[in-house]
Amino acid sequence: MCEENINAAPKRVLSCIQPSGMLTLGNYLGALKNWVAMQEEFDCTFAVADLHAITVRQEPAALRSQIYSTYAILLALGIDPEKNTVFIQSHVPEHTALSWLLSCNTQFGEMSRMTQFKDKSAKHPENVNVGLFSYPVLMAADILLYKPDFVPVGADQKQHLEIARDIAIRFNNKYGDIFTVPEPYIPKAGARIMSLQDPAKKMSKSDDNQNSWVAILDSKDDIIRKFKRAVTDSDAVVRMADDKPGISNLITIYSAVTDKTVAEVEREFEGKGYGDFKLAVGEAVADTLAPIKQRYDEIIKDKKALETLYKEGAQKAEYVARKTYFKAMKKVGFVL
Ligand code: TYM
């Protein structure tokens, strides 16, 4: 290693996850697995994005328990709250405050093009609220406050990251050098895990069909049953192909949890039927998730310990967020 690298501060990473229901295998393979890996090398900040969750209706008691549960899953995955900053978004008021400054520098037209807004407003026509529309601006604030170099996310968040970059560049051009323009960090395998029941759709915890998604906290039996029922095609050959979206999704999942290449997976199951393959995928996923569930069951019992950790996390986060926020306020012309 050259001297320059030894002295260089580690690059920064930021990402968040919504506490809306059970976290899925899609969340794990698309994002959380990378969070765990990145903490070894980077200065990481991770948050439970609870403010984002209320853009769709939430039952208060369920929301509260999901926030605890999501924070506990992050710890159960092995994310170290001492080494990293791990907090709950609503505990750091600079997120909503900066989002106002950014909103006034974001155009209605660019927000209208966001596909997630179009999808969610079609799904909940009775509740197309302003928060749902301006959601990507709050997400830009989440990111820009911490000046990250990388934002590890699944492919579905790419458009939101692009808008966060656009907002940062525009703001910097207008007011001076305030924000770092972050790069998305999207995994090669697992960036888009599809529904087990309809491989044309993303695997999502908001899907009403429980067999379409695997939760990180599902039992081994449930996981295996869901994979056994996964939709495939009729030619019974384990091969990645555009016209085999169901089996391709299962190959992606198997390859991501076993760290085998697609070619290795295809070779391993040459001459074997879908029954064997589905069972192998179910078992590999269950074996990966079992230790996480075991740690989670311990962690969630001790709410006091959790509270200490998320409060410390919020303090560390706010220390950084305040600096960026006040710098932006000053540059825009507010009196401090
Ligand atoms: P959310 O909570 O929907 O998902 C959390 C992370 O999981 C990824 N993901 C997937 N990856 C692969 N396949 C899937 N089926 C799948 N489903 C979800 C998502 O891409 C995401 O990385 N808006 C964000 C939360 C957020 C955020 C932020 C992210 C709020 N502020 C700032 C990064 C930076 C969201 O709703 O993710």
Side-chain angles (χ1 to χ4, degrees):
M1 194 191 270
C2 68
E3 209 175 323
E4 236 173 40
N5 280 345
I6 292 171
N7 295 329
K11 296 227 183 239
R12 281 184 298 267
V13 164
L14 173 289
S15 200
C16 309
I17 186 158
Q18 288 198 63
S20 38
M22 292 295 236
L23 302 195
T24 69
L25 180 65
N27 294 132
Y28 177 67
L29 294 179
L32 299 173
K33 194 172 175 233
N34 270 336
W35 297 15
V36 178
M38 288 175 106
Q39 64 178 338
E40 301 306 326
E41 196 182 333
F42 300 104
D43 173 3
C44 296
T45 301
F46 299 122
V48 176
D50 54 347
L51 294 170
H52 280 91
I54 62 162
T55 53
V56 297
R57 285 204 182 98
Q58 302 285 346
E59 205 271 301
L63 177 63
R64 195 169 300 121
S65 110
Q66 284 160 203
I67 294 169
Y68 275 114
S69 150
T70 305
Y71 193 91
I73 289 184
L74 298 186
L75 304 183
L77 285 164
I79 292 172
D80 179 351
E82 301 286 325
K83 187 169 182 294
N84 309 288
T85 300
V86 189
F87 71 105
I88 298 172
Q89 180 194 28
S90 63
H91 293 180
V92 180
E94 283 76 9
H95 289 242
T96 41
L98 181 66
S99 118
W100 178 251
L101 297 193
L102 302 183
S103 290
C104 298
N105 287 278
T106 304
Q107 298 305 303
F108 189 89
E110 49 189 350
M111 284 296 102
S112 319
R113 286 194 291 276
M114 296 291 111
T115 51
Q116 187 169 300
F117 171 69
K118 290 187 208 161
D119 292 350
K120 285 203 175 169
S121 46
K123 201 167 172 205
H124 303 278
E126 75 301 340
N127 185 23
V128 184
N129 61 76
V130 177
L132 189 63
F133 185 72
S134 60
Y135 176 119
V137 184
L138 179 58
M139 179 162 159
D142 299 338
I143 298 170
L144 300 179
L145 281 172
Y146 300 93
K147 302 189 173 178
D149 300 284
F150 303 113
V151 181
V153 284
D156 63 323
Q157 294 300 317
K158 194 160 177 262
Q159 195 185 33
H160 288 161
L161 265 191
E162 276 158 13
I163 200 85
R165 286 169 53 90
D166 290 347
I167 293 172
I169 293 168
R170 194 178 310 142
F171 209 93
N172 284 349
N173 286 342
K174 206 158 162 189
Y175 299 112
D177 197 17
I178 301 165
F179 300 125
T180 301
V181 181
E183 294 293 332
Y185 189 99
I186 296 175
K188 282 197 189 77
R192 202 170 166 75
I193 300 299
M194 310 310 279
S195 153
L196 299 183
Q197 291 298 313
D198 177 1
K201 283 196 330 205
K202 173 185 94 160
M203 180 182 283
S204 164
K205 51 206 164 197
S206 57
D207 198 317
D208 297 332
N209 184 346
Q210 304 262 326
N211 286 324
S212 72
W213 51 279
V214 169
I216 293 180
L217 299 179
D218 270 348
S219 68
K220 182 166 188 170
D221 287 351
D222 281 344
I223 295 174
I224 291 183
R225 183 178 43 79
K226 288 180 187 181
F227 278 103
K228 276 189 181 160
R229 290 194 187 164
V231 167
T232 48
D233 51 76
S234 54
D235 83 354
V237 180
V238 178
R239 185 171 41 83
M240 192 78 121
D242 287 347
D243 61 346
K244 291 160 71 71
I247 212 74
S248 298
N249 188 37
L250 297 184
I251 294 175
T252 302
I253 292 172
Y254 189 72
S255 142
V257 293
T258 59
D259 287 325
K260 291 178 185 167
T261 64
V262 170
E264 282 167 344
V265 178
E266 289 175 343
R267 220 171 303 129
E268 186 178 340
F269 291 93
E270 219 173 273
K272 294 192 182 140
Y274 283 170
D276 289 345
F277 179 53
K278 287 188 194 180
L279 184 63
V281 184
E283 279 180 342
V285 169
D287 289 348
T288 304
L289 299 182
I292 301 170
K293 180 169 164 46
Q294 209 178 357
R295 283 195 296 268
Y296 171 85
D297 289 341
E298 282 305 307
I299 292 169
I300 198 69
K301 279 189 209 148
D302 192 348
K303 289 261 166 61
K304 266 270 156 260
L306 272 181
E307 190 181 322
T308 306
L309 291 174
Y310 66 62
K311 285 195 167 155
E312 278 171 14
Q315 272 179 10
K316 284 200 267 178
E318 190 161 16
Y319 179 78
V320 178
R322 272 176 76 87
K323 282 197 200 164
T324 315
Y325 173 63
F326 282 111
K327 185 169 179 193
M329 286 289 278
K330 193 170 168 193
K331 294 273 191 184
V332 173
F334 289 99
V335 175
L336 301 183

